[in-house]
Amino acid sequence: AAGRLIHLRGFHNTSVGDILRESGVGKGNLYYYFKSKDDLGYAALDRMLGRIQEEVLERLSASGVDPWKQVESFLDSAVERARKEGCVGGCPLGNLALEMSDIHEGFRTRLSDGFLQVRSKIQSALDRANREGTLRDGTDIPRLANFILAAFEGAFMMGKLHRDAEVMASVVDELKAHLVHYRVV
């Protein structure tokens, strides 16, 4: 319940009372497990990261799949999710990063680590493409991985802002068109 509310409203706009009402948990039980709202927020973030690892990042590391198809599947899955959810919520990590990075070091470092995990999976797919000879020679793989992640987050933000999954899809399509320049067939 905390994760869902934080995703939709933000950390600061979600009160402990909101979480208690949504979850049906008593205040004593909440504070038995979590010493503070921050601790609950960290737990919700850890759960989000686990879900992202299981549901999203596995698309970037499935064995026996073309690395370019993995990157496309990763991007397309986000667009499909946005279509199903009507672009409400956006990217939970991106939302928290925008809200908390300048004001809360604990969240900033955890979010930075989460984004590094995502970038690392993208970079691994690009490394595989390089080993397989399907990535253009001389490509700065870490830089390209950062670009893919930044464009991906920007696509999420634009879709959320306009509440239009097709805006997000057009950004993702443009990103995929850009990636064609790096692919050797």
Side-chain angles (χ1 to χ4, degrees):
R4 186 174 52 256
L5 290 172
I6 291 168
H7 180 200
L8 293 174
R9 297 180 184 173
F11 184 76
H12 286 299
N13 288 331
T14 301
S15 70
V16 170
D18 295 334
I19 295 166
L20 295 174
R21 275 188 299 283
E22 180 80 13
S23 67
V25 171
K27 196 175 208 177
N29 283 337
L30 179 88
Y31 284 111
Y32 177 80
Y33 292 101
F34 305 102
K35 293 179 181 164
S36 66
K37 182 182 172 189
D38 284 359
D39 286 344
L40 176 59
Y42 294 153
L45 176 57
D46 289 344
R47 190 171 200 173
M48 285 179 215
L49 289 169
R51 196 185 90 241
I52 289 167
Q53 179 69 35
E54 290 173 12
E55 296 174 10
V56 180
L57 297 184
E58 70 182 27
R59 294 174 186 277
L60 286 165
S61 53
S63 61
V65 179
D66 174 71
W68 293 103
K69 295 282 185 209
Q70 289 175 324
V71 170
E72 284 186 15
S73 176
F74 165 71
L75 297 170
D76 291 341
S77 70
V79 172
E80 287 309 309
R81 193 178 104 221
R83 284 180 174 136
K84 286 179 193 169
E85 297 173 0
C87 279
V88 174
C91 175
L93 295 183
N95 293 349
L96 271 176
L98 288 171
E99 178 186 5
M100 303 297 285
S101 292
D102 287 338
I103 59 173
H104 198 292
E105 188 62 15
F107 274 100
R108 189 200 65 74
T109 57
R110 284 170 171 81
L111 288 159
S112 178
D113 290 345
F115 276 108
L116 287 173
Q117 288 176 21
V118 176
R119 189 191 75 201
S120 174
K121 291 289 188 175
I122 295 168
Q123 189 168 325
S124 292
L126 295 171
D127 285 335
R128 283 193 312 281
N130 191 44
R131 285 192 305 275
E132 293 172 9
T134 61
L135 181 68
R136 188 178 74 206
D137 285 340
T139 298
D140 184 334
I141 293 173
R143 182 176 170 161
L144 182 56
N146 275 330
F147 174 76
I148 293 168
L149 182 55
F152 174 76
E153 283 300 316
F156 253 123
M157 183 188 68
M158 295 304 292
K160 178 181 175 176
L161 174 67
H162 297 290
R163 291 261 168 91
D164 186 348
E166 298 318 306
V167 170
M168 181 181 181
S170 71
V171 174
V172 166
D173 286 345
E174 190 62 32
L175 172 58
K176 290 192 289 190
H178 179 79
L179 293 176
V180 167
H181 300 291
Y182 289 93
R183 189 170 185 173
V184 176
V185 252

mmCIF file of all heavy atoms in Angstrom, residues 5-32:
data_model
loop_
_atom_site.group_PDB
_atom_site.id
_atom_site.type_symbol
_atom_site.label_atom_id
_atom_site.label_comp_id
_atom_site.label_asym_id
_atom_site.label_seq_id
_atom_site.Cartn_x
_atom_site.Cartn_y
_atom_site.Cartn_z
ATOM 1 N N LEU A 5 0.926 4.103 -3.026
ATOM 2 C CA LEU A 5 0.619 5.511 -2.744
ATOM 3 C C LEU A 5 1.806 6.426 -3.058
ATOM 4 O O LEU A 5 1.628 7.505 -3.630
ATOM 5 C CB LEU A 5 0.192 5.677 -1.284
ATOM 6 C CG LEU A 5 -1.164 5.091 -0.922
ATOM 7 C CD1 LEU A 5 -1.388 5.136 0.584
ATOM 8 C CD2 LEU A 5 -2.278 5.807 -1.662
ATOM 9 N N ILE A 6 2.998 5.991 -2.693
ATOM 10 C CA ILE A 6 4.188 6.795 -2.962
ATOM 11 C C ILE A 6 4.382 6.936 -4.468
ATOM 12 O O ILE A 6 4.724 8.009 -4.969
ATOM 13 C CB ILE A 6 5.430 6.184 -2.284
ATOM 14 C CG1 ILE A 6 5.315 6.330 -0.760
ATOM 15 C CG2 ILE A 6 6.717 6.819 -2.807
ATOM 16 C CD1 ILE A 6 6.325 5.510 0.030
ATOM 17 N N HIS A 7 4.128 5.865 -5.204
ATOM 18 C CA HIS A 7 4.256 5.905 -6.656
ATOM 19 C C HIS A 7 3.293 6.913 -7.264
ATOM 20 O O HIS A 7 3.658 7.686 -8.141
ATOM 21 C CB HIS A 7 4.010 4.506 -7.222
ATOM 22 C CG HIS A 7 4.120 4.406 -8.706
ATOM 23 N ND1 HIS A 7 3.557 3.395 -9.400
ATOM 24 C CD2 HIS A 7 4.721 5.186 -9.638
ATOM 25 C CE1 HIS A 7 3.803 3.544 -10.686
ATOM 26 N NE2 HIS A 7 4.501 4.636 -10.858
ATOM 27 N N LEU A 8 2.067 6.927 -6.795
ATOM 28 C CA LEU A 8 1.058 7.812 -7.378
ATOM 29 C C LEU A 8 1.111 9.244 -6.851
ATOM 30 O O LEU A 8 0.865 10.189 -7.595
ATOM 31 C CB LEU A 8 -0.343 7.244 -7.140
ATOM 32 C CG LEU A 8 -0.651 5.945 -7.885
ATOM 33 C CD1 LEU A 8 -1.999 5.395 -7.463
ATOM 34 C CD2 LEU A 8 -0.588 6.157 -9.386
ATOM 35 N N ARG A 9 1.423 9.400 -5.563
ATOM 36 C CA ARG A 9 1.354 10.735 -4.950
ATOM 37 C C ARG A 9 2.704 11.358 -4.642
ATOM 38 O O ARG A 9 2.780 12.559 -4.381
ATOM 39 C CB ARG A 9 0.598 10.642 -3.616
ATOM 40 C CG ARG A 9 -0.828 10.217 -3.742
ATOM 41 C CD ARG A 9 -1.437 10.170 -2.370
ATOM 42 N NE ARG A 9 -2.803 9.679 -2.416
ATOM 43 C CZ ARG A 9 -3.519 9.422 -1.341
ATOM 44 N NH1 ARG A 9 -3.014 9.613 -0.142
ATOM 45 N NH2 ARG A 9 -4.739 8.975 -1.461
ATOM 46 N N GLY A 10 3.733 10.534 -4.567
ATOM 47 C CA GLY A 10 5.030 11.008 -4.116
ATOM 48 C C GLY A 10 5.208 10.715 -2.635
ATOM 49 O O GLY A 10 4.239 10.480 -1.909
ATOM 50 N N PHE A 11 6.451 10.730 -2.193
ATOM 51 C CA PHE A 11 6.757 10.413 -0.806
ATOM 52 C C PHE A 11 6.200 11.475 0.141
ATOM 53 O O PHE A 11 5.554 11.165 1.134
ATOM 54 C CB PHE A 11 8.272 10.270 -0.612
ATOM 55 C CG PHE A 11 8.664 9.859 0.771
ATOM 56 C CD1 PHE A 11 8.501 8.548 1.186
ATOM 57 C CD2 PHE A 11 9.192 10.780 1.666
ATOM 58 C CE1 PHE A 11 8.860 8.154 2.472
ATOM 59 C CE2 PHE A 11 9.559 10.404 2.943
ATOM 60 C CZ PHE A 11 9.394 9.081 3.353
ATOM 61 N N HIS A 12 6.447 12.744 -0.175
ATOM 62 C CA HIS A 12 6.015 13.816 0.720
ATOM 63 C C HIS A 12 4.504 14.002 0.739
ATOM 64 O O HIS A 12 3.956 14.457 1.750
ATOM 65 C CB HIS A 12 6.712 15.135 0.374
ATOM 66 C CG HIS A 12 8.142 15.145 0.791
ATOM 67 N ND1 HIS A 12 8.549 15.016 2.093
ATOM 68 C CD2 HIS A 12 9.273 15.229 0.061
ATOM 69 C CE1 HIS A 12 9.856 15.034 2.158
ATOM 70 N NE2 HIS A 12 10.327 15.156 0.937
ATOM 71 N N ASN A 13 3.840 13.682 -0.341
ATOM 72 C CA ASN A 13 2.386 13.838 -0.391
ATOM 73 C C ASN A 13 1.636 12.607 0.108
ATOM 74 O O ASN A 13 0.414 12.559 0.010
ATOM 75 C CB ASN A 13 1.932 14.168 -1.822
ATOM 76 C CG ASN A 13 2.318 15.571 -2.217
ATOM 77 O OD1 ASN A 13 2.422 16.467 -1.384
ATOM 78 N ND2 ASN A 13 2.559 15.761 -3.497
ATOM 79 N N THR A 14 2.361 11.635 0.611
ATOM 80 C CA THR A 14 1.751 10.448 1.202
ATOM 81 C C THR A 14 2.017 10.487 2.699
ATOM 82 O O THR A 14 3.166 10.440 3.130
ATOM 83 C CB THR A 14 2.344 9.161 0.587
ATOM 84 O OG1 THR A 14 2.109 9.167 -0.818
ATOM 85 C CG2 THR A 14 1.727 7.925 1.205
ATOM 86 N N SER A 15 0.962 10.573 3.475
ATOM 87 C CA SER A 15 1.133 10.618 4.925
ATOM 88 C C SER A 15 1.065 9.205 5.505
ATOM 89 O O SER A 15 0.563 8.268 4.869
ATOM 90 C CB SER A 15 0.040 11.476 5.556
ATOM 91 O OG SER A 15 -1.212 10.815 5.465
ATOM 92 N N VAL A 16 1.570 9.073 6.709
ATOM 93 C CA VAL A 16 1.456 7.794 7.416
ATOM 94 C C VAL A 16 -0.025 7.446 7.585
ATOM 95 O O VAL A 16 -0.421 6.291 7.420
ATOM 96 C CB VAL A 16 2.186 7.852 8.778
ATOM 97 C CG1 VAL A 16 1.881 6.624 9.620
ATOM 98 C CG2 VAL A 16 3.686 7.998 8.564
ATOM 99 N N GLY A 17 -0.857 8.443 7.845
ATOM 100 C CA GLY A 17 -2.300 8.209 7.957
ATOM 101 C C GLY A 17 -2.891 7.637 6.675
ATOM 102 O O GLY A 17 -3.727 6.733 6.705
ATOM 103 N N ASP A 18 -2.448 8.165 5.526
ATOM 104 C CA ASP A 18 -2.903 7.633 4.232
ATOM 105 C C ASP A 18 -2.537 6.161 4.103
ATOM 106 O O ASP A 18 -3.344 5.334 3.662
ATOM 107 C CB ASP A 18 -2.259 8.389 3.066
ATOM 108 C CG ASP A 18 -2.664 9.843 2.970
ATOM 109 O OD1 ASP A 18 -3.765 10.206 3.437
ATOM 110 O OD2 ASP A 18 -1.858 10.637 2.412
ATOM 111 N N ILE A 19 -1.323 5.838 4.487
ATOM 112 C CA ILE A 19 -0.843 4.451 4.382
ATOM 113 C C ILE A 19 -1.624 3.550 5.321
ATOM 114 O O ILE A 19 -2.021 2.440 4.946
ATOM 115 C CB ILE A 19 0.677 4.392 4.659
ATOM 116 C CG1 ILE A 19 1.427 5.162 3.571
ATOM 117 C CG2 ILE A 19 1.155 2.948 4.759
ATOM 118 C CD1 ILE A 19 2.875 5.464 3.899
ATOM 119 N N LEU A 20 -1.876 4.029 6.533
ATOM 120 C CA LEU A 20 -2.645 3.231 7.493
ATOM 121 C C LEU A 20 -4.060 2.972 6.980
ATOM 122 O O LEU A 20 -4.558 1.834 7.052
ATOM 123 C CB LEU A 20 -2.689 3.927 8.858
ATOM 124 C CG LEU A 20 -1.350 4.071 9.587
ATOM 125 C CD1 LEU A 20 -1.514 4.907 10.849
ATOM 126 C CD2 LEU A 20 -0.745 2.712 9.901
ATOM 127 N N ARG A 21 -4.695 4.003 6.452
ATOM 128 C CA ARG A 21 -6.056 3.833 5.900
ATOM 129 C C ARG A 21 -6.066 2.860 4.728
ATOM 130 O O ARG A 21 -6.915 1.980 4.638
ATOM 131 C CB ARG A 21 -6.631 5.187 5.462
ATOM 132 C CG ARG A 21 -7.299 5.969 6.576
ATOM 133 C CD ARG A 21 -8.028 7.203 6.048
ATOM 134 N NE ARG A 21 -7.136 8.158 5.386
ATOM 135 C CZ ARG A 21 -6.322 8.997 6.022
ATOM 136 N NH1 ARG A 21 -6.276 9.018 7.337
ATOM 137 N NH2 ARG A 21 -5.565 9.839 5.334
ATOM 138 N N GLU A 22 -5.121 3.028 3.824
ATOM 139 C CA GLU A 22 -5.065 2.192 2.613
ATOM 140 C C GLU A 22 -4.765 0.738 2.952
ATOM 141 O O GLU A 22 -5.310 -0.168 2.344
ATOM 142 C CB GLU A 22 -4.012 2.751 1.658
ATOM 143 C CG GLU A 22 -3.859 1.993 0.374
ATOM 144 C CD GLU A 22 -4.907 2.307 -0.671
ATOM 145 O OE1 GLU A 22 -5.642 3.308 -0.517
ATOM 146 O OE2 GLU A 22 -4.997 1.546 -1.635
ATOM 147 N N SER A 23 -3.876 0.538 3.900
ATOM 148 C CA SER A 23 -3.430 -0.826 4.216
ATOM 149 C C SER A 23 -4.308 -1.517 5.253
ATOM 150 O O SER A 23 -4.309 -2.744 5.329
ATOM 151 C CB SER A 23 -1.988 -0.790 4.735
ATOM 152 O OG SER A 23 -1.936 -0.135 5.998
ATOM 153 N N GLY A 24 -5.013 -0.732 6.072
ATOM 154 C CA GLY A 24 -5.797 -1.323 7.149
ATOM 155 C C GLY A 24 -4.956 -1.759 8.336
ATOM 156 O O GLY A 24 -5.428 -2.438 9.238
ATOM 157 N N VAL A 25 -3.697 -1.364 8.343
ATOM 158 C CA VAL A 25 -2.774 -1.713 9.416
ATOM 159 C C VAL A 25 -2.888 -0.678 10.525
ATOM 160 O O VAL A 25 -3.073 0.511 10.260
ATOM 161 C CB VAL A 25 -1.325 -1.768 8.868
ATOM 162 C CG1 VAL A 25 -0.303 -1.905 9.984
ATOM 163 C CG2 VAL A 25 -1.182 -2.893 7.872
ATOM 164 N N GLY A 26 -2.766 -1.104 11.751
ATOM 165 C CA GLY A 26 -2.781 -0.183 12.880
ATOM 166 C C GLY A 26 -1.439 0.519 13.038
ATOM 167 O O GLY A 26 -0.396 0.005 12.634
ATOM 168 N N LYS A 27 -1.499 1.692 13.647
ATOM 169 C CA LYS A 27 -0.293 2.499 13.819
ATOM 170 C C LYS A 27 0.783 1.755 14.617
ATOM 171 O O LYS A 27 1.969 1.799 14.273
ATOM 172 C CB LYS A 27 -0.662 3.810 14.527
ATOM 173 C CG LYS A 27 0.387 4.872 14.435
ATOM 174 C CD LYS A 27 -0.128 6.161 15.057
ATOM 175 C CE LYS A 27 0.520 7.348 14.430
ATOM 176 N NZ LYS A 27 0.007 8.607 14.948
ATOM 177 N N GLY A 28 0.360 1.047 15.667
ATOM 178 C CA GLY A 28 1.320 0.289 16.477
ATOM 179 C C GLY A 28 2.031 -0.782 15.662
ATOM 180 O O GLY A 28 3.245 -0.984 15.809
ATOM 181 N N ASN A 29 1.281 -1.468 14.809
ATOM 182 C CA ASN A 29 1.888 -2.495 13.955
ATOM 183 C C ASN A 29 2.881 -1.883 12.972
ATOM 184 O O ASN A 29 3.947 -2.430 12.734
ATOM 185 C CB ASN A 29 0.825 -3.269 13.176
ATOM 186 C CG ASN A 29 0.105 -4.276 14.037
ATOM 187 O OD1 ASN A 29 0.617 -4.708 15.059
ATOM 188 N ND2 ASN A 29 -1.084 -4.647 13.623
ATOM 189 N N LEU A 30 2.502 -0.757 12.385
ATOM 190 C CA LEU A 30 3.386 -0.097 11.438
ATOM 191 C C LEU A 30 4.710 0.255 12.104
ATOM 192 O O LEU A 30 5.786 -0.059 11.592
ATOM 193 C CB LEU A 30 2.732 1.165 10.859
ATOM 194 C CG LEU A 30 3.620 1.916 9.878
ATOM 195 C CD1 LEU A 30 3.428 1.360 8.476
ATOM 196 C CD2 LEU A 30 3.326 3.393 9.911
ATOM 197 N N TYR A 31 4.616 0.893 13.279
ATOM 198 C CA TYR A 31 5.833 1.336 13.945
ATOM 199 C C TYR A 31 6.577 0.191 14.635
ATOM 200 O O TYR A 31 7.745 0.348 15.006
ATOM 201 C CB TYR A 31 5.535 2.495 14.905
ATOM 202 C CG TYR A 31 5.324 3.781 14.142
ATOM 203 C CD1 TYR A 31 4.068 4.380 14.066
ATOM 204 C CD2 TYR A 31 6.371 4.374 13.455
ATOM 205 C CE1 TYR A 31 3.880 5.548 13.344
ATOM 206 C CE2 TYR A 31 6.186 5.543 12.726
ATOM 207 C CZ TYR A 31 4.943 6.117 12.682
ATOM 208 O OH TYR A 31 4.761 7.277 11.954
ATOM 209 N N TYR A 32 5.965 -0.942 14.763
ATOM 210 C CA TYR A 32 6.673 -2.122 15.253
ATOM 211 C C TYR A 32 7.692 -2.568 14.204
ATOM 212 O O TYR A 32 8.804 -2.959 14.532
ATOM 213 C CB TYR A 32 5.687 -3.255 15.554
ATOM 214 C CG TYR A 32 6.347 -4.524 16.005
ATOM 215 C CD1 TYR A 32 6.774 -4.670 17.333
ATOM 216 C CD2 TYR A 32 6.554 -5.580 15.122
ATOM 217 C CE1 TYR A 32 7.397 -5.840 17.754
ATOM 218 C CE2 TYR A 32 7.165 -6.748 15.531
ATOM 219 C CZ TYR A 32 7.584 -6.873 16.844
ATOM 220 O OH TYR A 32 8.203 -8.023 17.260
#
